[in-house]
Amino acid sequence: MSGFSEKAGRYKKFFGFIFKYWNSSLLNQTRAHALELPAEEEEQEEDSGYSPQDLVEDLQNMGPTFIKLGQLLSTRPDLLPDAYLKALSTLQDQVAPIPYEQLVQLIEEEIGTRISKGFLNFEEKPLASASIGQVHRATLRSGKQVVVKVQRPGIRREFLEDLEMLKEITDFGVKYSEAARKYALDNILEELRHIVLQELDYTREAANLVTLAGNLQKFPRLIIPQPVLDYCSSKVLTMEYVHGIKATSVSPLTLMENDLSPLVDELVEAYLQQIVVDGFVHADPHPGNIQLTPENNLVLIDLGMVAKFTPRMQEKLLQLLLGISKKDGDSVIDVLLSISEITENSDLDTFRRGINRQIMDTQDHTAREMQAGRQLIQMNRIAAENGIHIAVELNILGKVLLNLDQIVAVLAPDFDLQASLKKHIQEMMQSRLISELKPENFLNLLLEIKKFTEKFPARMNKLFSNLANNEFRIKVDAIDEKQLAEDFQKVANRIALGLIIAAAIVGAAMLMQVPSDYTILGYPAIAMLFFLIAAAGGILLSYFIIFKDEKNSRKKR
C-alpha cells in the first residue's frame, strides 16, 4: 500500500507542477512553436506571473531527477526561450547532509573496513551536500589528503522510480500528442536516464578520472584528482584533495597581480583536444567544477558526466569550429546539414539564410563580444525553427563552450577566445593530416590498392563478356513494384465498382417506366432495389476514398 501511495504522490507532485505552468508563457511558447501556431497565439499569455527563477526553484523542490532534467533542458534552445535556458544553466541543488552515523555505516559497508582503520582523520562536516551525494575531507593513514564522495542512501531507487513515472507519461504523450512527437520527448527521457545512471556509478567516475588524466598529460597546469581505488566503490569515491576555489569567484586582486591568459589558453586547448582528438569530454565544466589553486593551476572535478564522440563526429566538429573561427557561413552550413536529420518539412533555404546572417552579424563583433557557445546554441535554435534536427553532440559542444565562455570572461577578460580557437583548431587539423600519413595508414592504402589491382582484370573481363553476350543489366531500385501493382489494382477495382454503380442507376431509371404489381413508396420494387444497391455502393466507395486512403497515406509518411 505504501508503494502505491508513494507512486500516487509522485504523480500528484508532477501534475501539480504541470498544472502550475500549463497556461504560462513558457508552455504557451513551446506549444505554439511545436504546432507552428500563429505568432499572436504564441504571445497571448506573455505575462504569466512566473519567472525563469520560479521554474528553477520549483525544479529544485521537485527533487534530484527534475534538477537533472532542468540541467539537460538548459542545452535545448529548440525547446525553451533564452531567459529560461540561462536560468536553468545555473541550476544546482543543496540539501540537508546525511546524518553522520548513517554516513559512517554506509562507508564501512562499501569499503569493507572501519573508518578509524582506513582514515587517520575524517571530518564530520561535509564540504558540500547535494541530492546525489555529499563530500567530506579526510586523511588516509599514509598522511595523504583526500576527499570522500558518498552517495545518498536510497537515491538510486528514487531516481529509477521517477524515471519510470516519466516514461509512462512520455510514452502516452508521444502516442497521442503531435508536439511530444515533434520534440522527441522519449529521446530526451532516454538521454536523461543515461546521464543519471552514469552519475550514480562512482566506479565509472573513478575510471573517467584516470582516463582524462592520461589524455591531458601534456597540460601541466591542469590537474585532475586521481582516485584512491582501494577506497572506492559504486557508492563511495575517494580521490586526491586539491585545494582550490571556484574559477568565477577569483578575487580582483588575484587578477590584477597575475596574468592568467596563458592558463586560459591551455584550458581552451585542452577542451578542444578532448572534443576533436580524444573524443572523451568532461561534459559538465560549469564554473563550480573548474577551480583555481593558490599556485594558479586549474583543477577539473566531477567527472560523473562525460561525453564520447565517434571519429566521424570528431572530424565534423573540427570542421564546424574551423568554419566558425574563419567566419565561413557556407562551410558551417554544410557541416551542420551533414550531422542533421532532414525531413520533407525542413525549410533548407530559410535555415541557410539564418546561419549566414548569424555568421555575418558576428563579423562586426570584437573578440570580447564573441561567444562560441552562444553561437552554437543559436544555430541549434535556427535549425529547430526550420524543422532540422541536429545531432545531440552539438548541444554538448555548445554547453561545454558556453561554460568556458563564462570562465574565460572572469579569469582573462581581454583574452581573444576566437583567435585561440582558430590557432588551436588549425594546429589540430594539421596534426590530424600528419597522423593520416603514419606508416600503418600507408600500408593499409597499399593493401587496398593491391586488392583492387588483383580483382580489376577479372571484373573488367566479366563486364565486357556480359556486354558481348547482351547480358549486361542495370538494376534500379527506385520504386516498389509490388506496391505500385497493388495501387493500380485498387484503381482498377474502384473504376469497375463505379461503372457497376452507374449501370445500376441507369437500369433502375429504365425500370421505373415498367409497370409492376410490387411497389416501394409507390415506385416499382425492382427499380427501388437497384437504386438502394447503387446508393449503398456509392456510400461505401466514398468512405474508402475519403477515410481509408487518407489513413494509409499518413502511415506511409
Side-chain angles (χ1 to χ4, degrees), residues 36 160 207 273 321 437 476:
E36 300 177 353
L160 292 178
Q273 177 181 305
L321 291 171
L437 300 177
V476 179

Side-chain angles (χ1 to χ4, degrees), residues 44 81 190 193 206 252 271 277 279-280 284 391 424 474 543 553:
Q44 279 179 355
E190 181 57 35
R193 182 182 181 84
Y271 270 93
V277 177
F280 183 90
D284 192 23
H424 294 308
I474 298 177
Y543 171 78
S553 177

Side-chain angles (χ1 to χ4, degrees), residues 118-121 137-146 231 241:
F119 299 93
L120 185 64
N121 176 54
R137 189 172 173 181
T139 307
L140 298 179
R141 283 288 172 181
S142 63
K144 186 181 185 69
Q145 297 290 312
V146 296
Y231 291 86
Y241 171 74

Side-chain angles (χ1 to χ4, degrees), residues 456-466:
F456 183 75
R459 287 175 176 172
M460 290 302 296
N461 185 47
K462 186 176 181 180
L463 173 64
F464 287 124
S465 176
N466 288 339

Side-chain angles (χ1 to χ4, degrees), residues 379-430:
M379 287 177 186
N380 201 341
R381 186 186 295 281
I382 294 171
E385 289 172 350
N386 292 285
I388 297 171
H389 303 290
I390 292 182
V392 69
E393 285 84 355
L394 190 73
N395 285 332
I396 297 171
L397 178 60
K399 178 182 178 182
V400 169
L401 294 180
L402 198 62
N403 284 316
L404 287 182
D405 286 336
Q406 299 178 52
I407 294 168
V408 169
V410 172
L411 296 183
D414 296 321
F415 182 75
D416 191 339
L417 181 58
Q418 287 296 309
S420 178
L421 286 172
K422 186 174 182 179
K423 178 186 71 172
H424 294 308
I425 289 167
Q426 289 177 342
E427 290 173 354
M428 290 175 185
M429 183 74 81
Q430 293 170 2

Side-chain angles (χ1 to χ4, degrees), residues 59-117:
L59 287 172
Q60 287 174 328
N61 294 333
M62 290 280 287
T65 307
F66 296 91
I67 291 172
K68 294 298 174 188
L69 178 60
Q71 292 170 345
L72 175 61
L73 292 177
S74 70
T75 65
R76 295 297 302 269
D78 53 329
L79 288 175
L80 300 175
D82 285 335
Y84 288 90
L85 294 177
K86 185 175 181 180
L88 290 175
S89 66
T90 65
L91 186 57
Q92 300 293 324
D93 54 343
Q94 290 289 334
V95 297
I98 307 168
Y100 185 68
E101 295 75 14
Q102 189 177 3
L103 180 87
V104 169
Q105 181 183 354
L106 192 152
I107 293 174
E108 291 178 345
E109 288 175 355
E110 289 296 319
I111 66 175
T113 186
R114 295 179 62 84
I115 278 190
S116 58
K117 289 186 177 181

Side-chain angles (χ1 to χ4, degrees), residues 6-69:
E6 286 181 10
K7 188 172 183 179
R10 280 187 169 82
Y11 275 93
K12 179 181 178 182
K13 184 167 63 173
F14 176 78
F15 283 110
F17 171 81
I18 292 296
F19 180 76
K20 176 177 179 179
Y21 287 92
W22 186 252
N23 288 319
S24 69
S25 60
L26 170 63
L27 283 189
N28 187 56
Q29 290 179 49
T30 302
R31 286 195 301 268
H33 179 61
L35 300 175
E36 300 177 353
L37 298 176
E40 58 267 23
E41 291 185 40
E42 189 174 340
E43 297 172 357
Q44 279 179 355
E45 300 288 343
E46 194 63 25
D47 185 15
S48 64
Y50 300 120
S51 68
Q53 192 56 41
D54 291 329
L55 177 64
V56 168
E57 292 174 3
D58 287 336
L59 287 172
Q60 287 174 328
N61 294 333
M62 290 280 287
T65 307
F66 296 91
I67 291 172
K68 294 298 174 188
L69 178 60

